[in-house]
Amino acid sequence: MAAQSSLKAGVMGWPITHSLSPRLHGFWLRAHGLDGSYTALPVKPDELRDALRALPQNGFRGVNLTVPLKEAACAIVDDMDDTARRIGAINLVTVGTDGKLFGRNTDAFGFAQNLLSSGFSPHRRAACVLGAGGAARAVLTALADMGYRELFLCNRTPERAASLARELTTQHCSITPLPWADATSVFPRCDLLVNATSAGMKGANDLDIDLSALPADATVTDIVYTPLETGLLRRARQRGLKTVDGLGMLLHQARPSFAAFFGPDPAVTAELRAFVLEGLS
Ligand code: ATR
């Protein structure tokens, strides 16, 4: 069918060669028997405006954006959703029937779905987030939307935590910045600890934060997924705490993009995880 072969999408970033998104969307395209395409598109920051504006004439349904383009896209799209506005970053651009570009952010959705699909449900009032970069913005937004009323935010550079806490605190959810050394003092009140820093990634130092003050029924999750079990998650597991790795966030954040580009809401399955993991080795 001619209409099906016109389903074109991709991911823009710089560099883009290591992106797992083509593998992930390719798996779902085959699983759904769709004749669409999803390609890696190398785009430098100063080329982003032209590249996005060219999407309609090139027949694209939309694109995902990754590092370092997510923030700059906010000034380029015609409109964006509330989540993208709060996070200050766009990872999904769709092309409307009128050719207008609409920005969305699905990272908060991916984070929340990864946690919820592991069986997690918030049962205390507080959670603690480590890190104050782009990933932390998506995590804090997701946790506020999950109903947390109190979040603690710790970052190696305290000024970044203080300014992010000010920006994202709302009437419904207060975010308290804490010095890095004081993180463990709030652990007894938390049902969730999130590593939203890049520490623990292959080649980087692990976070050696003491987990002993977390309640026995707390969950620890990491946004880092290379390695799949970071040092933090290993120590949490050894302490008997529930752990949720970061790969699921990557898989779940892609679901709304696939639905926007190609139609179906795809499933995150063990087969998909195994297939994407193969791409990491
Ligand atoms: P991203 O957008 O992926 O979150 P980022 O904006 O570079 O990336 O933020 C990286 C985060 O990891 C920051 O919170 C950083 O702390 P600083 O703000 O102090 O730089 C944190 N980070 C990186 N390496 C770290 C380490 N070894 N220990 C603690 N925090 C670390």
Side-chain angles (χ1 to χ4, degrees), residues 84-192:
R85 202 168 279 121
R86 284 157 69 203
I87 298 174
I90 287 169
N91 74 336
L92 166 61
V93 177
T94 53
V95 178
T97 46
D98 53 1
K100 291 221 160 119
L101 303 177
F102 187 71
R104 293 168 58 184
N105 190 307
T106 69
D107 287 331
F109 172 87
F111 175 80
Q113 289 300 310
N114 184 35
L115 263 184
L116 298 173
S117 67
S118 78
F120 175 82
S121 68
H123 53 273
R124 280 192 182 73
R125 277 181 44 240
C128 182
V129 177
L130 308 174
R137 298 179 72 97
V139 166
L140 293 164
T141 302
L143 293 175
D145 289 351
M146 281 167 75
Y148 277 98
R149 314 243 15 201
E150 186 169 32
L151 299 172
F152 297 105
L153 179 60
C154 301
N155 194 49
R156 184 177 57 179
T157 311
E159 298 77 22
R160 286 186 86 189
S163 91
L164 188 55
R166 261 195 312 277
E167 193 189 329
L168 294 183
T169 285
T170 64
Q171 214 182 324
H172 304 291
C173 179
S174 78
I175 304 176
T176 307
L178 285 175
W180 188 259
D182 292 353
T184 56
S185 66
V186 296
F187 281 1
R189 293 159 65 186
C190 296
D191 60 6
L192 179 69

Side-chain angles (χ1 to χ4, degrees), residues 228-240:
L228 202 53
E229 186 177 59
T230 58
L232 180 77
L233 293 184
R234 186 183 60 252
R235 286 188 301 107
R237 176 173 57 78
Q238 286 165 348
R239 227 217 81 186

Side-chain angles (χ1 to χ4, degrees), residues 23 32 41 48 70 74 100-101 173 228 235 240 252 280:
R23 191 171 175 86
H32 287 273
L41 305 162
L48 180 61
K70 291 182 182 189
C74 295
K100 291 221 160 119
L101 303 177
C173 179
L228 202 53
R235 286 188 301 107
H252 282 282
L280 277 171

Side-chain angles (χ1 to χ4, degrees), residues 71 131-136 155-157 160 180 196-199 205 207 223:
E71 290 81 13
N155 194 49
R156 184 177 57 179
T157 311
R160 286 186 86 189
W180 188 259
T197 77
S198 47
N205 286 340
L207 283 181
I223 58 149

